[in-house]
Amino acid sequence: MDEAGLDVFVVRAPDNVLYLTNFWGMKGYDAAVFPREGDPALITLGTSAADAAGTAWTSDVRYFDLYDAGDPRPPASRTLDLALEAARDYERVGLELSLGTQASDRMVGEPTTFTKAWFDAWPGAADATPLLNAARAIKTEQEVARMRIANEIAGAAMEHVWGELRPGMTEAEAAALWLGHVHGQGTSREDVDLALGFSLVWSGPGIRTFTATGDRPVQEDEPTLFEIWVCADGYWCDHTKNLCPGELRPEYAELEEQLVSVYETLVGLCRPGQSLAELDRAGRDAIAAIGYPGQPSHPLCHGVGARAHEPPYAHQAAGGELAEGMVLAVEPGVYWEGGGGLRFEDNFLVMTSGPEKLSPFPDGIVRRG
């Protein structure tokens, strides 16, 4: 912040509030005022006082009501009032001016956004997003520990589904098995307050990029692909796992072998100092070499942390390199014309000694036949 000439961050995205205060809000109306020097302030609903007392790092917590009988304005206006008060003594303010996506709050059904008044309140503000992205890309030991929990929950739910998956079951039923285990068993862990799952499940010809989970039946001789995220108390994992409840068709066995080789190439490159542009180039060249030039249409590598998708991203038109402490989702995929294909994905901690796979569930196609 000193190098960027910033006196204070004023943030409202749930993932940045979590990163700076350790508090994961309920409705997304929260904010954090985080100065370069001095004590930060957390702004949240009065109904969240117990949560703030139990989790927030900052002792300065300022509360407001979701509904105020004497104030008909929306609740974000009361957040703004408190943020202005907390930041009034600081000259150079950094806001999230270029925030493209943000993680969800605990309710997630209605992601909260702020009005133009929020940005107008600090007319000379600088964009704090690049600095926050750079800081968040390198994970602390505490963050890695929390991401391990999310990975464990996702893997345990996949084990549960593996015991229950049957041909003829719909994609939506398979997804419900996974989601129910994440929310029920994940939340029941002693080290978790709230675990939520997010999924896209496709089977056989339903495997595409990207369509919604539907009522297509699970195929006996083709993979059922689980594109899955778990959020455990605000920290995420992002996986793609594949199950086949019967004897796998030969064309899928061949594609699995080919894509495993690409996957291993990419994972092997996840070391400190590796160029992100060259990582992307190497992966796409390897996919072209097995007969699928131009694929996939999605990124091959991205960061994971307080969001399921966050910087850094591997892109040939961008710069940057990997550093120790980053956590990356590596996800090469191949998709056939008309439907079907494969994607493998897991999360890896970048270390000098080599990348560490965080999920306990295996890659490739897990099958019975």
Side-chain angles (χ1 to χ4, degrees), residues 116-136:
K116 183 173 179 289
W118 176 268
F119 305 97
D120 289 347
W122 292 277
D127 186 7
T129 303
L131 183 54
L132 285 163
N133 287 345
R136 283 176 45 177

Side-chain angles (χ1 to χ4, degrees), residues 163-224:
E164 301 291 333
L165 191 71
R166 299 290 182 270
M169 179 184 291
T170 68
E171 296 170 343
E173 288 171 331
L177 285 172
W178 185 84
L179 289 163
H181 195 278
V182 167
H183 192 38
Q185 299 304 309
T187 302
S188 70
R189 289 176 53 133
E190 292 184 355
D191 54 1
V192 172
D193 183 38
L194 176 64
L196 295 172
F198 303 81
S199 71
L200 292 172
V201 176
W202 312 306
S203 189
I207 297 174
R208 303 168 186 266
T209 305
F210 285 95
T211 58
T213 299
D215 61 356
R216 289 176 293 266
V218 168
Q219 303 299 306
E220 181 175 14
D221 57 355
E222 297 180 326
T224 295

Side-chain angles (χ1 to χ4, degrees), residues 349-369:
L349 174 62
V350 177
M351 299 187 298
T352 302
S353 58
E356 178 189 348
K357 175 178 154 72
L358 296 184
S359 170
F361 199 81
D363 297 313
I365 302 174
V366 178
R367 48 195 183 270
R368 290 195 178 95

Side-chain angles (χ1 to χ4, degrees), residues 218-356:
V218 168
Q219 303 299 306
E220 181 175 14
D221 57 355
E222 297 180 326
T224 295
L225 183 152
F226 289 73
E227 164 61 47
I228 48 177
W229 304 352
V230 167
C231 181
D233 296 334
Y235 276 84
W236 297 69
C237 68
D238 179 7
H239 302 158
T240 306
K241 303 300 181 182
N242 299 269
L243 305 177
C244 180
E247 185 71 35
L248 189 66
R249 288 170 48 185
E251 58 265 42
Y252 266 108
E254 179 183 9
L255 181 60
E256 177 188 26
E257 182 179 356
Q258 292 173 324
L259 197 58
V260 163
S261 69
V262 176
Y263 186 69
E264 291 177 344
T265 295
L266 283 167
V267 171
L269 293 172
C270 291
R271 294 178 177 272
Q274 171 65 50
S275 160
L276 284 160
E278 291 304 318
L279 179 63
D280 184 73
R281 183 173 292 109
R284 295 186 186 277
D285 287 349
I287 291 172
I290 63 173
Y292 297 95
Q295 291 212 35
S297 60
H298 56 72
L300 296 180
C301 175
H302 63 82
V304 187
R307 292 205 307 266
H309 293 77
E310 64 180 35
Y313 290 90
H315 196 294
Q316 293 177 41
E321 61 183 35
L322 299 183
E324 185 158 13
M326 290 181 174
V327 175
L328 303 174
V330 177
E331 54 174 324
V334 166
Y335 309 96
W336 292 333
E337 186 71 27
L342 279 177
R343 178 165 74 250
F344 303 145
E345 182 181 15
D346 212 312
N347 301 161
F348 293 87
L349 174 62
V350 177
M351 299 187 298
T352 302
S353 58
E356 178 189 348

